[in-house]
Amino acid sequence: MGRVLLAALPGERLDAFLNSATLDPLTERTIVDHDRLRAEVEKTRTRGWGLVDQELEDGVRSIAVPIHDSARRVVAAINTSAHATRVPLTTLQKSFLPKLRECAAAIDAELRAVR
């Protein structure tokens, strides 16, 4: 979810965050290089969803999408996680992602109705 939220930041705010962030490894897959993380955030921004594969905890991968308010600003993110040995990345993207997007669209619609 963090990459989805970072991807929604204006360029200067993203730069400020990345320039001040301490990137500590949580697993051997954790991205700790600022340029590499920036590239992943840009990839997330471009495709509209984020993927983390065993970077926060060994054996756990997750996929996240943004939640938008009535002005279409990203105000939150939702994700789902799966165990890496049980759910291949392709299944996460082809089966989980469409359902996650449907859920996000329903939440977006509720937020638009609240105005």
Side-chain angles (χ1 to χ4, degrees):
M1 291 189 299
R3 289 184 191 159
V4 169
L5 297 173
L6 288 173
L9 292 176
E12 64 278 354
R13 288 195 54 210
L14 177 60
D15 290 343
F17 173 81
L18 290 175
N19 290 335
S20 66
T22 301
L23 304 177
D24 295 322
L26 301 174
T27 74
E28 65 182 36
R29 293 175 180 235
T30 303
I31 295 175
V32 295
D33 177 79
H34 287 85
D35 291 334
R36 196 164 152 227
L37 179 57
R38 182 183 306 279
E40 283 298 316
V41 170
E42 290 302 326
K43 187 182 205 180
T44 298
R45 184 188 320 247
T46 300
R47 66 184 178 194
W49 52 272
L51 177 70
V52 173
D53 185 15
Q54 302 181 73
E55 292 179 50
L56 301 174
E57 186 172 329
D58 288 325
V60 178
R61 49 180 52 140
S62 65
I63 197 162
V65 298
I67 300 293
H68 303 88
D69 66 8
S70 60
R72 299 293 298 152
R73 292 178 301 228
V74 174
V75 294
I78 58 171
N79 82 314
T80 187
S81 299
H83 198 278
T85 61
R86 293 189 179 136
V87 179
L89 288 172
T90 56
T91 300
L92 203 63
Q93 293 174 46
K94 292 183 191 273
S95 296
F96 288 39
L97 180 58
K99 292 175 179 145
L100 195 59
R101 283 182 162 156
E102 285 177 25
C103 182
I107 295 169
D108 287 356
E110 290 293 325
L111 290 177
R112 281 192 304 273
V114 172
R115 294 190 125 199

